[in-house]
Amino acid sequence: MDWEDLRLFLAVAKASGLAGAADKTGVSAATLGRRVSSLEKSLNVRLVEREARGYVLTQAGRELVFQLEGMDEVAQSISRWRESGRTRRRVRISAGDWTARLLMDNISEFWSPEASWVPEFLADLHNRDVARRQIDIGVRSRRPKQEWLAGRKIGTVRYAVYQAKSARIEAELGWIGVVEDEAHFPTGTWIREHHGDEITVTVNKAVHALSLVRQGAGRMLLPMFVGEAFQDLQRIAEPIDDLQTERWLVMHQDERHEPAVRQALAALAKLLKRDPHLQAEF
């Protein structure tokens, strides 16, 4: 049984004919006639008497209309729910801690509550799987290699050493190091190899080190889009070329043309392509 046949039959029954139902549904009278006939065949019962003045329901037709009234109420309820805006597409966005915080602190720059999509931010140490649809968009540091993934390069991320302006550049401040998972990241390895004997404070997530740096408790490697955003910080050395990474937006090939995902991609790219010194309130 075709549910569309049932819907169109109900429209014909309420309009007492094909012409009125065609005006209401936008389906041609000829098509409506064929759909009613198809429904009669599938149910093996006559639903209407075809008269010159229109369609007259048989007893079976009246009984079916009674059954369909409940379905029509549910359909109207679903339409109202859809039009309420609560069915907007939720776009899951995965990024590292620094970038995720940057996106959240500047959300008004690329999204508003009136948009047709809703962001869901996931800050991760490890990349979530785009291929398995765990997320819709990933902000990554390299071009995707899998053929089922699509990528769009939107810039680079550079790292440099920062400390509080309240501390003299020549002051012998200790370094803030990282432990656990982030100790094995390129930034953690660089600090350990170049300033391992100067580490005085450690954190397990680099994002937590920013408040320590701003208080003058030590020096820290920071992405330049973070360090340059704070007037109370100063960069004390040139950017470190060996730590420079690319920035890519990665999505599934099958999803990149889906309207909500496409709009989210355009909005994120517009923000992240701007001057990297965006304000971030960590």
Side-chain angles (χ1 to χ4, degrees):
M1 186 183 302
D2 191 324
W3 287 103
E4 184 66 3
D5 286 349
L6 292 169
R7 183 183 75 84
L8 295 177
F9 165 73
L10 183 60
V12 170
K14 287 184 173 181
S16 299
L18 299 177
D23 291 339
K24 184 175 180 60
T25 63
V27 179
S28 69
T31 299
L32 287 170
R34 288 195 297 270
R35 301 302 287 262
V36 172
S37 296
S38 174
L39 182 61
E40 288 180 321
K41 290 178 181 178
S42 66
L43 295 174
N44 195 30
V45 65
R46 183 177 294 278
L47 299 173
V48 297
E49 297 292 349
R50 294 159 176 82
E51 299 182 353
R53 293 176 298 175
Y55 281 7
V56 177
L57 294 175
T58 65
Q59 178 62 32
R62 290 192 293 273
E63 292 175 356
L64 181 58
V65 168
F66 178 77
Q67 298 292 332
L68 293 177
E69 290 290 352
M71 187 182 82
D72 189 46
E73 290 179 6
V74 171
Q76 292 182 34
S77 176
I78 291 173
S79 294
R80 290 192 295 270
W81 171 66
R82 181 185 61 193
E83 293 167 1
S84 71
R86 293 196 295 271
T87 58
R88 289 183 298 170
R89 172 74 148 79
R90 186 170 295 276
V91 178
R92 306 188 81 196
I93 303 164
S94 170
D97 287 331
W98 293 119
T99 301
R101 193 60 183 267
L102 179 74
L103 295 177
M104 288 184 277
D105 286 336
N106 292 275
I107 189 170
S108 63
E109 297 290 326
F110 65 91
W111 181 82
S112 70
E114 293 76 33
S116 61
W117 59 283
V118 179
E120 180 175 316
F121 298 109
L122 300 167
D124 291 307
L125 283 174
H126 306 289
N127 294 339
R128 300 208 182 202
D129 198 334
V130 181
R132 294 185 179 181
R133 315 299 174 89
Q134 293 178 341
I135 57 168
D136 299 298
I137 301 172
V139 185
R140 302 289 185 255
S141 61
R142 61 180 64 88
R143 178 197 295 270
K145 296 181 180 179
Q146 299 90 333
E147 61 182 13
W148 55 86
L149 297 180
R152 178 179 177 184
K153 186 178 178 182
I154 53 171
T156 58
V157 176
R158 306 184 75 188
Y159 287 82
V161 181
Y162 289 85
Q163 69 179 41
K165 284 184 178 178
S166 58
R168 300 193 313 269
I169 292 179
E170 62 274 13
E172 295 186 5
L173 289 180
W175 279 72
I176 300 171
V178 286
V179 295
E180 297 184 351
D181 287 346
E182 294 199 24
H184 306 291
F185 286 13
T187 49
T189 300
W190 188 93
I191 293 173
R192 189 170 59 254
E193 290 180 349
H194 292 81
H195 300 280
D197 58 349
E198 302 170 56
I199 294 174
T200 55
V201 181
T202 58
V203 293
N204 70 329
K205 293 176 72 68
V207 70
H208 298 321
L210 185 58
S211 61
L212 297 173
V213 175
R214 297 181 70 188
Q215 294 177 66
R219 297 172 175 174
M220 181 65 187
L221 267 178
L222 292 173
M224 290 184 64
F225 69 82
V226 176
E228 300 294 326
F230 292 91
Q231 296 182 357
D232 58 348
L233 293 183
Q234 59 184 336
R235 177 163 53 88
I236 62 173
E238 292 299 312
I240 301 167
D241 292 337
D242 291 344
L243 295 178
Q244 179 172 306
T245 61
E246 296 179 341
R247 180 180 270 161
W248 289 76
L249 291 178
V250 178
M251 74 295 304
H252 198 283
Q253 286 277 16
D254 296 340
E255 292 289 323
R256 62 176 175 160
H257 299 301
E258 199 277 327
V261 174
R262 188 172 66 247
Q263 291 172 25
L265 284 167
L268 291 172
K270 183 178 180 180
L271 175 83
L272 295 174
K273 279 184 173 181
R274 282 175 45 193
D275 187 289
H277 308 157
L278 294 165
Q279 182 62 40
E281 295 296 342
F282 285 82

